[in-house]
Amino acid sequence: MAVKLKATKREDHSKSATKQIRESGDVPSVVYGKDKDSKAIAVNSIDLVKTVRDEGRNAIISLEIEGDKAEDVMLHEYQMDSIKDELIHADFYIVNMAEEMDVEVPLNLEGEAFGAKEGGVLQQPLFELQVRAKPADIPEQISVDVSELGIGDTIAIADLPKASKYEFLEDADTTVATVVPPDTLDETDEDADENAEPELVGAKDDEEE
């Protein structure tokens, strides 16, 4: 079931109006979709952050825009103020609940790898996996148990349990977790040091010439 989020329409798109919206605690936003006209809206910042935190990045949201019927949407993109750490804009995409879509889902490694206890190092090349599913069937995250991984062992996409409601889009041999020997990392660091070019003392940047 989609979580509800209220929105108001934005008629004035001037900078001063946008600033006022942010100062009031709302986030200037846009909602759009395939064969749908885009609409300028505003949503409460706290409500949006809480929704994403509680329901996940790929949550289906029933967006209730004043004066219009509710739309099933997903948060497509958002922008943050890096200084204030506040939301300053959000894009919502209207989804068709009957059609599959491609999304990125967080990858979570569970357990302590056996090889790590023996001195190996657990590596996670991917932190998100691409999946294809209908909106209601998108998993909140993909969990992988790595407790049986020994040194030199690898888990690939092909090793993950098959799901009936979604499919992975990465190649079957794509690595999602591996345990490497500690000396492998040391050799890599040494090779990097040996191949590094010596710094030219007194050299000037092109901009200074």
Side-chain angles (χ1 to χ4, degrees):
M1 182 177 179
V3 60
K4 296 181 179 180
L5 183 66
K6 294 184 180 298
T8 56
K9 293 181 180 179
R10 286 192 295 132
E11 304 294 345
D12 188 346
H13 300 166
S14 65
K15 289 184 178 180
S16 59
T18 301
K19 181 181 179 181
Q20 189 174 19
I21 288 173
R22 294 192 179 110
E23 289 177 346
S24 70
D26 287 348
V27 181
S29 308
V30 175
V31 57
Y32 57 91
K34 183 179 179 181
D35 300 325
K36 299 278 188 176
D37 294 332
S38 63
K39 298 177 183 179
I41 61 172
V43 298
N44 182 268
S45 177
I46 295 177
D47 290 345
L48 177 56
V49 171
K50 185 177 186 301
T51 296
V52 175
R53 184 185 65 230
D54 295 346
E55 306 296 332
R57 178 69 170 77
N58 294 318
I60 304 301
I61 300 171
S62 178
L63 191 63
E64 300 179 342
I65 305 174
E66 61 175 353
D68 289 341
K69 67 176 183 178
E71 297 276 13
D72 289 325
V73 304
M74 292 178 63
L75 179 62
H76 183 59
E77 292 181 342
Y78 63 91
Q79 294 177 322
M80 298 287 296
D81 184 318
S82 58
I83 297 177
K84 298 181 179 180
D85 193 29
E86 296 176 350
L87 276 171
I88 58 175
H89 188 82
D91 286 1
F92 295 94
Y93 183 77
I94 301 172
V95 298
N96 184 333
M97 300 299 288
E99 291 184 357
E100 292 183 328
M101 59 188 304
D102 300 346
V103 297
E104 293 183 339
V105 176
L107 172 64
N108 178 44
L109 302 187
E110 296 183 337
E112 183 179 1
F114 178 75
K117 297 178 182 179
E118 296 186 318
V121 179
L122 175 66
Q123 292 188 335
Q124 181 178 349
L126 298 177
F127 290 88
E128 292 183 319
L129 298 181
Q130 290 189 331
V131 305
R132 176 171 295 158
K134 292 180 179 179
D137 296 329
I138 297 172
E140 184 175 339
Q141 66 178 13
I142 304 294
S143 296
V144 180
D145 184 2
V146 298
S147 57
E148 298 298 321
L149 275 184
I151 294 178
D153 291 343
T154 294
I155 296 178
I157 293 291
D159 301 318
L160 301 182
K162 299 297 185 291
S164 60
K165 294 186 176 181
Y166 61 85
E167 64 175 306
F168 297 109
L169 300 181
E170 277 93 0
D171 293 335
D173 59 353
T174 299
T175 297
V176 298
T178 185
V179 178
V180 299
D183 56 348
T184 301
L185 297 178
D186 293 339
E187 292 173 0
T188 301
D189 292 340
E190 291 176 1
D191 292 341
D193 291 339
E194 292 176 359
N195 294 329
E197 295 183 3
E199 182 179 352
L200 299 179
V201 178
K204 295 183 178 180
D205 295 334
D206 292 338
E207 296 180 355
E208 297 178 350
E209 291 180 353

